[in-house]
Structure formats: structure tokens, C-alpha cells
């Protein structure tokens, strides 16, 4: 188990890049102590197995839309503030005591998106005591999903995508 203390404010300046938190074989705990990430790309953070994110504020402005305004998930292009790599298994993820703010007044992707194809598995994923805030006033914005677990139901496997031991506890949205 490794601990990484993160302090300060970080601004993602390149629209087509993301912070890559994948490839960890042992548990890594990133403690933000209130640090702020301003994420301007459609994919802000790519997360993999064995990662804990605790006590961060994420100001997200990725506004790429997929489908119509009636698409309440808006997940078809894999955009999100925090997302995983499709076509891979993911396990042992904790996102705790984080604040997510969407800073545009347009249809947004989920703040947190876990996406799977056939045969992929999500295991031991916890989202605890997080706050999700939309600052816009449009009806489209008010009805978007904050968290999505999504399967594309494609891929070479005949087995379905599976979720095991996943939980969302004590997290709230400022919109219905």
C-alpha cells in the first residue's frame, strides 16, 4: 500500500489529454487534502485498479455530448470526469469525500463512468460521501446521471459484463 499526498491546484490545459492513474499492481491512495483539479478535457482522469481518490475537488468542464438531450447517461463516447479503460477489468477502487462541480451550462457526461464490454468485470468499487454539483440552470443539465456503470454489450466474449461488490454510499447531487 502506498500513500501519495497531493497538494495544490492543477489545471488540465490540453483538451485531448487526461491524467492516467492506471497500471498499479498494489493499492495506491491519493489524498488530496482539498486539492483542486480543473479538468477541461472530455476525459479528465483515466482510473485503473487499486486506486483510492480521497478529499479532492474536481471542477469539470468536458462538454462533449453523445446522442440527444434525451440521453440521460450521455456515455456513448466514454467521456467523464473520471472513467476507466473499456475492454478491461477493474477492481479495488475507492472514490471518497470528493466534490465534483460541472462548470458548463451544457449536457454533460457522467462525473464518474465505469464502462464495460462483454466478459469484463468491475469488482470492489466504492463511491462514498461525494457531492455532485451542476451549476447550470437548463433542464437538460438537471437530469444527467452523476454516476454510471455501463455496458456496451459488445466484444468477443459470450459472457456478460459483471459487477461484484460495488457500492454508492452517502453521496448526494444538488439536482434531481
Amino acid at each position: 500500500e502506498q500513500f501519495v499526498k497531493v497538494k495544490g491546484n492543477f489545471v488540465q490545459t490540453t483538451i485531448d489529454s487526461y491524467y492516467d492513474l492506471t497500471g498499479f499492481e498494489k493499492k495506491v491512495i491519493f489524498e488530496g487534502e482539498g486539492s483542486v483539479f480543473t479538468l477541461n478535457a472530455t476525459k479528465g482522469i483515466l482510473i485503473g485498479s487499486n486506486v483510492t481518490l480521497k478529499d479532492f475537488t474536481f471542477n469539470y468542464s468536458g462538454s462533449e455530448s453523445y446522442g440527444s438531450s434525451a440521453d440521460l447517461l450521455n456515455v456513448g463516447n466514454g467521456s467523464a470526469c473520471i472513467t476507466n479503460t473499456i475492454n478491461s477489468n477493474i477492481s479495488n477502487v475507492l472514490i471518497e469525500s470528493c466534490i465534483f462541480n460541472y462548470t458548463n451550462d451544457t449536457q454533460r457526461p457522467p462525473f464518474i463512468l465505469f464502462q464495460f464490454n462483454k466478459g469484463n468485470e468491475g469488482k470492489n468499487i466504492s463511491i462514498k460521501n461525494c457531492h455532485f454539483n451542476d451549476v447550470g440552470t437548463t433542464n437538460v443539465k438537471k437530469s444527467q446521471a452523476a454516476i454510471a456503470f455501463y455496458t456496451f454489450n459488445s466484444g468477443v466474449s459470450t459472457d456478460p459484463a459483471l459487477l461484484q461488490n460495488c457500492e454508492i454510499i452517502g453521496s448526494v447531487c444538488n439536482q434531481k
Side-chain angles (χ1 to χ4, degrees):
E1 200 169 275
Q2 298 177 0
F3 291 89
V4 178
K5 296 272 188 184
V6 181
K7 294 185 178 201
N9 297 320
F10 304 88
V11 178
Q12 186 179 46
T13 57
T14 307
I15 297 296
D16 59 355
S17 68
Y18 50 81
Y19 292 103
D20 190 342
L21 299 180
T22 62
F24 297 109
E25 294 182 16
K26 295 183 179 180
K27 185 176 184 178
V28 179
I29 300 169
F30 294 92
E31 289 193 26
E33 298 182 344
S35 292
V36 177
F37 277 84
T38 300
L39 304 170
N40 299 310
T42 55
K43 293 180 185 178
I45 296 175
L46 189 64
I47 195 169
S49 294
N50 304 312
V51 172
T52 294
L53 296 173
K54 187 173 183 177
D55 193 24
F56 287 96
T57 295
F58 299 101
N59 295 323
Y60 179 57
S61 64
S63 60
E64 185 174 11
S65 291
Y66 178 81
S68 69
S69 61
D71 178 1
L72 302 182
L73 290 179
N74 196 25
V75 297
N77 54 13
S79 298
C81 181
I82 297 174
T83 190
N84 67 312
T85 303
I86 195 165
N87 276 334
S88 65
N89 298 323
I90 187 167
S91 61
N92 305 318
V93 172
L94 171 61
I95 301 171
E96 183 176 12
S97 301
C98 292
I99 298 169
F100 295 82
N101 299 309
Y102 186 65
T103 56
N104 283 342
D105 198 25
T106 59
Q107 181 183 19
R108 67 160 169 75
F111 288 110
I112 301 172
L113 169 63
F114 291 98
Q115 52 189 349
F116 305 97
N117 270 334
K118 289 181 180 178
N120 292 149
E121 185 175 275
K123 192 186 316 185
N124 303 324
I125 298 171
S126 295
I127 301 167
K128 296 180 179 180
N129 303 317
C130 293
H131 293 266
F132 301 94
N133 303 305
D134 282 306
V135 297
T137 58
T138 65
N139 287 334
V140 167
K141 192 153 188 203
K142 290 182 178 181
S143 60
Q144 294 301 121
I147 303 166
F149 292 85
Y150 184 81
T151 178
F152 289 97
N153 201 28
S154 62
V156 296
S157 176
T158 57
D159 296 326
L162 297 174
L163 288 177
Q164 296 180 17
N165 196 30
C166 298
E167 60 186 4
I168 302 169
I169 298 173
S171 296
V172 295
C173 300
N174 74 327
Q175 304 287 347
K176 293 181 182 181

